[in-house]
Structures are given as structure tokens and as C-alpha cells.
Amino acid sequence: MGEIKEKNELDYTCGISDDELTQRFIESVRIDEEIRKIKGLPTSGYDADLKKAYLLYPDGRKEYV
């Protein structure tokens, strides 16, 4: 009947290591933030001291959410 095949970690990531995937994700977020700045849209951030997320607008205004 239904055959279950075990897959290793590389099957799910097409042979890309976790470190490489992490670096690609970080770079994609950085590029997205740059695009948002160019378009005049707010970017998001996190204030570790206040433990709150915020939106940073191009005019420098910071709005906590």
C-alpha cells in the first residue's frame, strides 16, 4: 500500500546547507528593506531594550506597534 520514504535534510533544501539558507534569507530581508526605503515606505524593526516592534518611516519617525 502506501510506502513511506524517509528523506534527509538535504532533500528538503535541494542540497543547500542551513547556514547558506540562513544567509540567503538575511540578504533577502536586507534587499527588501532597501527597496522599501527607495520607495519611501516604512521599514520594520525590533527594539530589544523595550521589547517592542516598530515601524521606521523615511522621515526618521519611529512608531511602536
Side-chain angles (χ1 to χ4, degrees):
M1 289 209 149
E3 185 177 319
I4 299 175
K5 292 183 180 180
E6 289 190 32
K7 293 185 176 184
N8 64 29
E9 184 179 323
L10 294 178
D11 289 335
Y12 293 111
T13 61
C14 300
I16 301 170
S17 70
D18 283 348
D19 290 339
E20 176 68 16
L21 284 175
T22 300
Q23 289 306 312
R24 287 182 184 196
F25 177 76
I26 291 169
E27 184 64 11
S28 71
V29 170
R30 186 193 66 75
I31 290 169
D32 184 59
E33 287 180 352
E34 289 297 319
I35 291 170
R36 294 182 67 76
K37 286 178 187 177
I38 291 167
K39 290 183 175 182
L41 300 171
T43 58
S44 60
Y46 183 77
D47 188 323
D49 295 332
L50 297 176
K51 297 182 181 177
K52 287 186 174 184
Y54 62 85
L55 294 174
L56 182 60
Y57 291 89
D59 63 3
R61 183 172 42 107
K62 190 184 279 189
E63 181 179 305
Y64 288 92
V65 292

Short mmCIF file of all heavy atoms in Angstrom, two decimals:
data_model
loop_
_atom_site.label_atom_id
_atom_site.label_comp_id
_atom_site.label_asym_id
_atom_site.label_seq_id
_atom_site.Cartn_x
_atom_site.Cartn_y
_atom_site.Cartn_z
N MET A 1 0.83 -1.19 0.00
CA MET A 1 0.00 0.00 0.00
C MET A 1 0.87 1.25 0.00
O MET A 1 1.76 1.36 -0.79
CB MET A 1 -0.93 0.00 1.22
CG MET A 1 -2.03 -0.99 1.16
SD MET A 1 -3.38 -0.34 2.10
CE MET A 1 -4.70 -1.05 1.22
N GLY A 2 0.61 2.17 0.95
CA GLY A 2 1.33 3.44 1.00
C GLY A 2 2.73 3.25 1.55
O GLY A 2 2.91 2.86 2.70
N GLU A 3 3.69 3.52 0.74
CA GLU A 3 5.08 3.36 1.15
C GLU A 3 5.60 4.70 1.69
O GLU A 3 5.44 5.73 1.06
CB GLU A 3 5.91 2.95 -0.06
CG GLU A 3 7.35 2.65 0.29
CD GLU A 3 8.10 2.18 -0.95
OE1 GLU A 3 7.54 1.40 -1.73
OE2 GLU A 3 9.25 2.62 -1.10
N ILE A 4 6.18 4.68 2.86
CA ILE A 4 6.73 5.88 3.46
C ILE A 4 8.23 5.90 3.22
O ILE A 4 8.94 4.96 3.58
CB ILE A 4 6.44 5.94 4.98
CG1 ILE A 4 4.94 5.97 5.23
CG2 ILE A 4 7.11 7.15 5.60
CD1 ILE A 4 4.55 5.91 6.69
N LYS A 5 8.68 6.94 2.57
CA LYS A 5 10.11 7.09 2.32
C LYS A 5 10.66 8.15 3.26
O LYS A 5 10.09 9.21 3.42
CB LYS A 5 10.36 7.54 0.88
CG LYS A 5 10.01 6.50 -0.15
CD LYS A 5 10.36 7.00 -1.53
CE LYS A 5 10.01 5.96 -2.57
NZ LYS A 5 10.34 6.42 -3.92
N GLU A 6 11.75 7.82 3.89
CA GLU A 6 12.40 8.80 4.75
C GLU A 6 13.29 9.69 3.90
O GLU A 6 13.96 9.23 2.99
CB GLU A 6 13.23 8.10 5.83
CG GLU A 6 12.37 7.43 6.86
CD GLU A 6 13.20 6.96 8.04
OE1 GLU A 6 14.20 7.61 8.36
OE2 GLU A 6 12.84 5.93 8.60
N LYS A 7 13.26 10.97 4.20
CA LYS A 7 14.10 11.92 3.48
C LYS A 7 15.05 12.56 4.47
O LYS A 7 14.70 12.82 5.61
CB LYS A 7 13.25 13.01 2.84
CG LYS A 7 12.37 12.50 1.72
CD LYS A 7 11.66 13.65 1.05
CE LYS A 7 10.84 13.16 -0.12
NZ LYS A 7 10.20 14.26 -0.84
N ASN A 8 16.23 12.82 4.01
CA ASN A 8 17.15 13.52 4.88
C ASN A 8 16.99 15.02 4.68
O ASN A 8 16.26 15.48 3.82
CB ASN A 8 18.60 13.07 4.65
CG ASN A 8 19.09 13.41 3.26
OD1 ASN A 8 18.66 14.37 2.66
ND2 ASN A 8 20.01 12.62 2.75
N GLU A 9 17.68 15.79 5.49
CA GLU A 9 17.56 17.24 5.48
C GLU A 9 17.88 17.84 4.11
O GLU A 9 17.25 18.79 3.68
CB GLU A 9 18.49 17.83 6.54
CG GLU A 9 18.39 19.32 6.70
CD GLU A 9 19.31 19.82 7.78
OE1 GLU A 9 19.47 19.14 8.80
OE2 GLU A 9 19.87 20.90 7.59
N LEU A 10 18.85 17.28 3.42
CA LEU A 10 19.24 17.84 2.13
C LEU A 10 18.16 17.67 1.07
O LEU A 10 18.10 18.44 0.12
CB LEU A 10 20.56 17.22 1.66
CG LEU A 10 21.78 17.55 2.51
CD1 LEU A 10 23.01 16.83 1.97
CD2 LEU A 10 22.03 19.03 2.57
N ASP A 11 17.28 16.67 1.23
CA ASP A 11 16.18 16.50 0.28
C ASP A 11 15.23 17.70 0.31
O ASP A 11 14.67 18.09 -0.70
CB ASP A 11 15.38 15.25 0.59
CG ASP A 11 16.15 13.98 0.27
OD1 ASP A 11 17.05 14.03 -0.58
OD2 ASP A 11 15.85 12.94 0.89
N TYR A 12 15.05 18.30 1.46
CA TYR A 12 14.13 19.41 1.61
C TYR A 12 14.76 20.74 1.18
O TYR A 12 14.06 21.68 0.87
CB TYR A 12 13.66 19.54 3.06
CG TYR A 12 12.80 18.38 3.49
CD1 TYR A 12 13.26 17.46 4.41
CD2 TYR A 12 11.53 18.20 2.95
CE1 TYR A 12 12.47 16.39 4.79
CE2 TYR A 12 10.73 17.13 3.33
CZ TYR A 12 11.20 16.23 4.25
OH TYR A 12 10.42 15.18 4.63
N THR A 13 16.06 20.83 1.18
CA THR A 13 16.74 22.10 0.87
C THR A 13 17.49 22.06 -0.44
O THR A 13 18.28 22.95 -0.72
CB THR A 13 17.71 22.48 2.01
OG1 THR A 13 18.70 21.45 2.12
CG2 THR A 13 16.98 22.64 3.33
N CYS A 14 17.29 21.04 -1.23
CA CYS A 14 17.94 20.90 -2.54
C CYS A 14 19.47 20.94 -2.43
O CYS A 14 20.16 21.50 -3.28
CB CYS A 14 17.45 21.97 -3.50
SG CYS A 14 15.68 21.91 -3.79
N GLY A 15 19.99 20.40 -1.35
CA GLY A 15 21.43 20.32 -1.19
C GLY A 15 22.08 21.57 -0.63
O GLY A 15 23.30 21.67 -0.58
N ILE A 16 21.29 22.55 -0.20
CA ILE A 16 21.82 23.79 0.35
C ILE A 16 21.89 23.64 1.88
O ILE A 16 20.93 23.22 2.51
CB ILE A 16 20.94 24.99 -0.02
CG1 ILE A 16 20.87 25.12 -1.55
CG2 ILE A 16 21.47 26.27 0.59
CD1 ILE A 16 19.85 26.12 -2.03
N SER A 17 23.00 24.03 2.46
CA SER A 17 23.16 23.89 3.91
C SER A 17 22.29 24.90 4.66
O SER A 17 21.84 25.90 4.10
CB SER A 17 24.62 24.12 4.29
OG SER A 17 24.97 25.48 4.13
N ASP A 18 22.06 24.61 5.93
CA ASP A 18 21.29 25.53 6.78
C ASP A 18 21.94 26.90 6.84
O ASP A 18 21.26 27.92 6.81
CB ASP A 18 21.15 24.97 8.19
CG ASP A 18 20.11 23.87 8.29
OD1 ASP A 18 19.33 23.70 7.33
OD2 ASP A 18 20.07 23.19 9.33
N ASP A 19 23.26 26.94 6.94
CA ASP A 19 23.96 28.22 7.00
C ASP A 19 23.76 29.03 5.73
O ASP A 19 23.53 30.24 5.78
CB ASP A 19 25.47 28.01 7.24
CG ASP A 19 25.76 27.51 8.65
OD1 ASP A 19 24.91 27.69 9.54
OD2 ASP A 19 26.85 26.94 8.85
N GLU A 20 23.82 28.37 4.59
CA GLU A 20 23.61 29.05 3.31
C GLU A 20 22.18 29.57 3.21
O GLU A 20 21.95 30.69 2.76
CB GLU A 20 23.93 28.13 2.14
CG GLU A 20 23.66 28.73 0.79
CD GLU A 20 24.59 29.87 0.41
OE1 GLU A 20 25.65 30.03 1.05
OE2 GLU A 20 24.25 30.61 -0.52
N LEU A 21 21.20 28.76 3.62
CA LEU A 21 19.81 29.20 3.60
C LEU A 21 19.60 30.40 4.51
O LEU A 21 18.89 31.35 4.16
CB LEU A 21 18.88 28.06 4.03
CG LEU A 21 18.62 26.99 3.00
CD1 LEU A 21 17.79 25.86 3.61
CD2 LEU A 21 17.92 27.55 1.79
N THR A 22 20.22 30.38 5.68
CA THR A 22 20.12 31.50 6.62
C THR A 22 20.69 32.76 6.00
O THR A 22 20.07 33.83 6.07
CB THR A 22 20.83 31.17 7.94
OG1 THR A 22 20.22 30.01 8.52
CG2 THR A 22 20.76 32.32 8.91
N GLN A 23 21.86 32.66 5.38
CA GLN A 23 22.48 33.84 4.75
C GLN A 23 21.63 34.37 3.60
O GLN A 23 21.48 35.58 3.44
CB GLN A 23 23.88 33.50 4.26
CG GLN A 23 24.89 33.30 5.37
CD GLN A 23 24.94 34.49 6.32
OE1 GLN A 23 25.01 35.63 5.91
NE2 GLN A 23 24.88 34.21 7.61
N ARG A 24 21.04 33.49 2.83
CA ARG A 24 20.17 33.92 1.73
C ARG A 24 18.93 34.63 2.27
O ARG A 24 18.48 35.63 1.71
CB ARG A 24 19.74 32.73 0.88
CG ARG A 24 20.86 32.19 0.02
CD ARG A 24 20.38 31.06 -0.84
NE ARG A 24 21.47 30.48 -1.61
CZ ARG A 24 21.29 29.69 -2.66
NH1 ARG A 24 20.07 29.37 -3.05
NH2 ARG A 24 22.32 29.21 -3.30
N PHE A 25 18.36 34.13 3.35
CA PHE A 25 17.20 34.76 3.96
C PHE A 25 17.55 36.15 4.48
O PHE A 25 16.82 37.11 4.23
CB PHE A 25 16.65 33.88 5.09
CG PHE A 25 15.50 34.51 5.81
CD1 PHE A 25 14.25 34.53 5.23
CD2 PHE A 25 15.68 35.08 7.05
CE1 PHE A 25 13.18 35.12 5.89
CE2 PHE A 25 14.62 35.68 7.71
CZ PHE A 25 13.36 35.70 7.13
N ILE A 26 18.66 36.26 5.19
CA ILE A 26 19.10 37.55 5.72
C ILE A 26 19.30 38.56 4.60
O ILE A 26 18.87 39.71 4.69
CB ILE A 26 20.38 37.38 6.57
CG1 ILE A 26 20.06 36.63 7.86
CG2 ILE A 26 21.03 38.72 6.86
CD1 ILE A 26 21.28 36.17 8.63
N GLU A 27 19.93 38.13 3.53
CA GLU A 27 20.17 39.01 2.38
C GLU A 27 18.86 39.42 1.72
O GLU A 27 18.70 40.58 1.32
CB GLU A 27 21.09 38.33 1.37
CG GLU A 27 21.49 39.20 0.21
CD GLU A 27 22.32 40.41 0.58
OE1 GLU A 27 22.81 40.51 1.73
OE2 GLU A 27 22.49 41.28 -0.30
N SER A 28 17.89 38.52 1.63
CA SER A 28 16.62 38.87 1.01
C SER A 28 15.87 39.91 1.85
O SER A 28 15.23 40.81 1.30
CB SER A 28 15.75 37.63 0.79
OG SER A 28 15.27 37.13 2.00
N VAL A 29 15.96 39.82 3.16
CA VAL A 29 15.32 40.80 4.04
C VAL A 29 16.02 42.15 3.88
O VAL A 29 15.36 43.20 3.78
CB VAL A 29 15.35 40.34 5.51
CG1 VAL A 29 14.92 41.46 6.45
CG2 VAL A 29 14.47 39.11 5.70
N ARG A 30 17.35 42.15 3.78
CA ARG A 30 18.09 43.40 3.61
C ARG A 30 17.71 44.08 2.29
O ARG A 30 17.46 45.29 2.25
CB ARG A 30 19.60 43.14 3.63
CG ARG A 30 20.44 44.43 3.61
CD ARG A 30 21.90 44.16 3.30
NE ARG A 30 22.11 43.67 1.95
CZ ARG A 30 22.06 44.43 0.85
NH1 ARG A 30 21.77 45.70 0.92
NH2 ARG A 30 22.28 43.90 -0.33
N ILE A 31 17.60 43.29 1.23
CA ILE A 31 17.22 43.84 -0.08
C ILE A 31 15.81 44.41 -0.02
O ILE A 31 15.55 45.51 -0.54
CB ILE A 31 17.35 42.76 -1.17
CG1 ILE A 31 18.82 42.44 -1.41
CG2 ILE A 31 16.66 43.20 -2.46
CD1 ILE A 31 19.05 41.22 -2.27
N ASP A 32 14.89 43.71 0.63
CA ASP A 32 13.52 44.19 0.76
C ASP A 32 13.48 45.52 1.51
O ASP A 32 12.74 46.43 1.12
CB ASP A 32 12.64 43.15 1.46
CG ASP A 32 11.20 43.58 1.52
OD1 ASP A 32 10.60 43.82 0.45
OD2 ASP A 32 10.66 43.68 2.64
N GLU A 33 14.26 45.64 2.58
CA GLU A 33 14.30 46.89 3.33
C GLU A 33 14.85 48.03 2.47
O GLU A 33 14.36 49.16 2.54
CB GLU A 33 15.13 46.73 4.61
CG GLU A 33 14.40 45.91 5.66
CD GLU A 33 15.20 45.73 6.93
OE1 GLU A 33 16.39 46.11 6.97
OE2 GLU A 33 14.63 45.22 7.90
N GLU A 34 15.87 47.76 1.66
CA GLU A 34 16.41 48.79 0.77
C GLU A 34 15.37 49.23 -0.25
O GLU A 34 15.24 50.43 -0.53
CB GLU A 34 17.66 48.28 0.05
CG GLU A 34 18.87 48.12 0.95
CD GLU A 34 19.32 49.44 1.55
OE1 GLU A 34 19.33 50.46 0.84
OE2 GLU A 34 19.65 49.45 2.76
N ILE A 35 14.63 48.29 -0.81
CA ILE A 35 13.58 48.62 -1.77
C ILE A 35 12.51 49.49 -1.11
O ILE A 35 12.05 50.48 -1.69
CB ILE A 35 12.97 47.33 -2.38
CG1 ILE A 35 14.00 46.65 -3.28
CG2 ILE A 35 11.69 47.64 -3.14
CD1 ILE A 35 13.59 45.26 -3.73
N ARG A 36 12.12 49.14 0.11
CA ARG A 36 11.11 49.92 0.83
C ARG A 36 11.61 51.34 1.09
O ARG A 36 10.84 52.29 0.98
CB ARG A 36 10.72 49.22 2.13
CG ARG A 36 9.98 47.89 1.89
CD ARG A 36 9.56 47.22 3.17
NE ARG A 36 8.53 47.97 3.87
CZ ARG A 36 7.24 48.02 3.52
NH1 ARG A 36 6.83 47.35 2.48
NH2 ARG A 36 6.38 48.73 4.21
N LYS A 37 12.88 51.50 1.44
CA LYS A 37 13.44 52.84 1.66
C LYS A 37 13.39 53.66 0.38
O LYS A 37 13.02 54.83 0.40
CB LYS A 37 14.88 52.74 2.17
CG LYS A 37 14.99 52.29 3.60
CD LYS A 37 16.45 52.18 4.01
CE LYS A 37 16.60 51.57 5.38
NZ LYS A 37 18.02 51.39 5.75
N ILE A 38 13.79 53.05 -0.73
CA ILE A 38 13.79 53.74 -2.02
C ILE A 38 12.38 54.19 -2.41
O ILE A 38 12.18 55.28 -2.92
CB ILE A 38 14.40 52.84 -3.12
CG1 ILE A 38 15.90 52.66 -2.86
CG2 ILE A 38 14.14 53.40 -4.51
CD1 ILE A 38 16.56 51.57 -3.68
N LYS A 39 11.40 53.34 -2.11
CA LYS A 39 10.00 53.66 -2.44
C LYS A 39 9.37 54.62 -1.44
O LYS A 39 8.23 55.03 -1.62
CB LYS A 39 9.17 52.38 -2.51
CG LYS A 39 9.50 51.51 -3.69
CD LYS A 39 8.61 50.29 -3.74
CE LYS A 39 8.85 49.47 -4.97
NZ LYS A 39 7.95 48.31 -5.03
N GLY A 40 10.07 54.93 -0.36
CA GLY A 40 9.53 55.83 0.65
C GLY A 40 8.56 55.16 1.61
O GLY A 40 7.73 55.83 2.22
N LEU A 41 8.65 53.86 1.74
CA LEU A 41 7.78 53.10 2.63
C LEU A 41 8.49 52.85 3.96
O LEU A 41 9.71 52.82 4.02
CB LEU A 41 7.41 51.77 1.98
CG LEU A 41 6.67 51.86 0.66
CD1 LEU A 41 6.57 50.48 0.02
CD2 LEU A 41 5.30 52.47 0.86
N PRO A 42 7.73 52.65 5.03
CA PRO A 42 8.37 52.36 6.32
C PRO A 42 9.01 50.98 6.34
O PRO A 42 8.59 50.08 5.62
CB PRO A 42 7.22 52.43 7.32
CG PRO A 42 5.99 52.16 6.52
CD PRO A 42 6.27 52.70 5.14
N THR A 43 10.04 50.83 7.15
CA THR A 43 10.66 49.54 7.37
C THR A 43 10.34 49.11 8.80
O THR A 43 10.00 49.93 9.64
CB THR A 43 12.19 49.59 7.17
OG1 THR A 43 12.75 50.55 8.06
CG2 THR A 43 12.55 49.95 5.75
N SER A 44 10.46 47.83 9.07
CA SER A 44 10.14 47.33 10.41
C SER A 44 11.42 47.04 11.17
O SER A 44 12.47 46.80 10.58
CB SER A 44 9.28 46.08 10.32
OG SER A 44 9.97 45.07 9.62
N GLY A 45 11.30 47.07 12.48
CA GLY A 45 12.44 46.76 13.33
C GLY A 45 11.95 46.28 14.68
O GLY A 45 10.75 46.22 14.95
N TYR A 46 12.91 45.96 15.54
CA TYR A 46 12.58 45.48 16.88
C TYR A 46 13.54 46.14 17.87
O TYR A 46 14.76 46.09 17.70
CB TYR A 46 12.69 43.96 16.97
CG TYR A 46 12.29 43.41 18.30
CD1 TYR A 46 10.96 43.29 18.67
CD2 TYR A 46 13.25 43.00 19.22
CE1 TYR A 46 10.58 42.79 19.90
CE2 TYR A 46 12.90 42.49 20.46
CZ TYR A 46 11.56 42.39 20.79
OH TYR A 46 11.20 41.89 22.01
N ASP A 47 12.97 46.77 18.88
CA ASP A 47 13.76 47.41 19.93
C ASP A 47 13.94 46.39 21.05
O ASP A 47 12.99 46.08 21.77
CB ASP A 47 13.04 48.66 20.43
CG ASP A 47 13.88 49.49 21.37
OD1 ASP A 47 14.64 48.90 22.19
OD2 ASP A 47 13.79 50.72 21.30
N ALA A 48 15.15 45.85 21.18
CA ALA A 48 15.41 44.81 22.17
C ALA A 48 15.28 45.34 23.60
O ALA A 48 14.86 44.60 24.50
CB ALA A 48 16.79 44.22 21.96
N ASP A 49 15.63 46.61 23.82
CA ASP A 49 15.53 47.19 25.17
C ASP A 49 14.08 47.29 25.62
O ASP A 49 13.74 46.95 26.75
CB ASP A 49 16.19 48.57 25.22
CG ASP A 49 17.69 48.50 24.98
OD1 ASP A 49 18.30 47.45 25.30
OD2 ASP A 49 18.25 49.48 24.46
N LEU A 50 13.21 47.79 24.73
CA LEU A 50 11.79 47.94 25.07
C LEU A 50 10.98 46.68 24.77
O LEU A 50 9.82 46.58 25.17
CB LEU A 50 11.19 49.11 24.29
CG LEU A 50 11.77 50.49 24.58
CD1 LEU A 50 11.13 51.53 23.67
CD2 LEU A 50 11.56 50.86 26.04
N LYS A 51 11.60 45.74 24.04
CA LYS A 51 10.94 44.50 23.64
C LYS A 51 9.65 44.79 22.87
O LYS A 51 8.60 44.20 23.13
CB LYS A 51 10.67 43.61 24.85
CG LYS A 51 11.94 43.16 25.54
CD LYS A 51 11.66 42.25 26.69
CE LYS A 51 13.00 41.86 27.34
NZ LYS A 51 12.83 41.04 28.49
N LYS A 52 9.78 45.71 21.89
CA LYS A 52 8.63 46.10 21.07
C LYS A 52 9.06 46.21 19.61
O LYS A 52 10.17 46.62 19.31
CB LYS A 52 8.08 47.46 21.51
CG LYS A 52 7.34 47.47 22.80
CD LYS A 52 6.74 48.84 23.04
CE LYS A 52 5.86 48.85 24.27
NZ LYS A 52 5.22 50.17 24.44
N ALA A 53 8.12 45.87 18.74
CA ALA A 53 8.34 46.06 17.30
C ALA A 53 7.99 47.50 16.95
O ALA A 53 7.20 48.15 17.63
CB ALA A 53 7.47 45.10 16.51
N TYR A 54 8.60 48.01 15.87
CA TYR A 54 8.30 49.37 15.44
C TYR A 54 8.38 49.49 13.93
O TYR A 54 8.94 48.63 13.24
CB TYR A 54 9.26 50.37 16.09
CG TYR A 54 10.71 50.17 15.73
CD1 TYR A 54 11.26 50.72 14.57
CD2 TYR A 54 11.56 49.45 16.55
CE1 TYR A 54 12.59 50.53 14.24
CE2 TYR A 54 12.89 49.25 16.24
CZ TYR A 54 13.39 49.81 15.08
OH TYR A 54 14.72 49.62 14.75
N LEU A 55 7.80 50.57 13.41
CA LEU A 55 7.92 50.95 12.02
C LEU A 55 8.79 52.20 11.97
O LEU A 55 8.55 53.14 12.73
CB LEU A 55 6.55 51.24 11.40
CG LEU A 55 5.61 50.06 11.29
CD1 LEU A 55 4.24 50.53 10.80
CD2 LEU A 55 6.17 49.02 10.34
N LEU A 56 9.79 52.20 11.10
CA LEU A 56 10.67 53.35 10.93
C LEU A 56 10.34 53.99 9.59
O LEU A 56 10.50 53.37 8.54
CB LEU A 56 12.13 52.92 10.99
CG LEU A 56 13.16 54.03 10.87
CD1 LEU A 56 13.01 55.04 12.00
CD2 LEU A 56 14.56 53.44 10.87
N TYR A 57 9.85 55.22 9.64
CA TYR A 57 9.46 55.94 8.43
C TYR A 57 10.65 56.68 7.83
O TYR A 57 11.61 57.00 8.55
CB TYR A 57 8.32 56.90 8.76
CG TYR A 57 7.04 56.17 9.09
CD1 TYR A 57 6.75 55.78 10.40
CD2 TYR A 57 6.12 55.85 8.10
CE1 TYR A 57 5.59 55.09 10.69
CE2 TYR A 57 4.96 55.17 8.39
CZ TYR A 57 4.70 54.79 9.68
OH TYR A 57 3.55 54.10 9.98
N PRO A 58 10.59 56.96 6.54
CA PRO A 58 11.71 57.63 5.87
C PRO A 58 12.09 58.98 6.49
O PRO A 58 13.24 59.39 6.43
CB PRO A 58 11.22 57.83 4.43
CG PRO A 58 10.19 56.77 4.24
CD PRO A 58 9.55 56.59 5.58
N ASP A 59 11.14 59.66 7.12
CA ASP A 59 11.43 60.95 7.76
C ASP A 59 12.09 60.80 9.13
O ASP A 59 12.36 61.78 9.81
CB ASP A 59 10.17 61.80 7.86
CG ASP A 59 9.08 61.18 8.74
OD1 ASP A 59 9.31 60.10 9.34
OD2 ASP A 59 8.00 61.78 8.83
N GLY A 60 12.37 59.55 9.55
CA GLY A 60 13.04 59.29 10.82
C GLY A 60 12.10 59.00 11.97
O GLY A 60 12.54 58.64 13.06
N ARG A 61 10.82 59.16 11.75
CA ARG A 61 9.82 58.91 12.79
C ARG A 61 9.75 57.41 13.07
O ARG A 61 9.78 56.59 12.18
CB ARG A 61 8.48 59.43 12.28
CG ARG A 61 7.34 59.33 13.22
CD ARG A 61 6.12 60.07 12.63
NE ARG A 61 5.94 59.83 11.21
CZ ARG A 61 4.97 59.06 10.71
NH1 ARG A 61 4.13 58.44 11.49
NH2 ARG A 61 4.87 58.91 9.39
N LYS A 62 9.67 57.07 14.37
CA LYS A 62 9.59 55.67 14.80
C LYS A 62 8.26 55.48 15.51
O LYS A 62 7.96 56.17 16.47
CB LYS A 62 10.74 55.34 15.74
CG LYS A 62 10.91 53.88 16.06
CD LYS A 62 12.00 53.62 17.07
CE LYS A 62 13.36 53.64 16.46
NZ LYS A 62 14.40 53.17 17.40
N GLU A 63 7.45 54.53 14.99
CA GLU A 63 6.13 54.27 15.57
C GLU A 63 6.10 52.84 16.12
O GLU A 63 6.27 51.88 15.36
CB GLU A 63 5.06 54.45 14.49
CG GLU A 63 3.66 54.24 14.97
CD GLU A 63 2.67 54.45 13.82
OE1 GLU A 63 2.71 55.51 13.20
OE2 GLU A 63 1.89 53.52 13.57
N TYR A 64 5.93 52.73 17.43
CA TYR A 64 5.89 51.39 18.05
C TYR A 64 4.52 50.77 17.81
O TYR A 64 3.50 51.42 17.88
CB TYR A 64 6.20 51.48 19.54
CG TYR A 64 7.65 51.79 19.80
CD1 TYR A 64 8.10 53.10 19.94
CD2 TYR A 64 8.57 50.76 19.87
CE1 TYR A 64 9.44 53.37 20.15
CE2 TYR A 64 9.91 51.02 20.08
CZ TYR A 64 10.33 52.33 20.21
OH TYR A 64 11.65 52.59 20.42
N VAL A 65 4.53 49.48 17.51
CA VAL A 65 3.28 48.76 17.24
C VAL A 65 3.10 47.61 18.21
O VAL A 65 3.96 47.20 18.90
CB VAL A 65 3.24 48.21 15.79
CG1 VAL A 65 3.14 49.36 14.83
CG2 VAL A 65 4.43 47.37 15.47
#
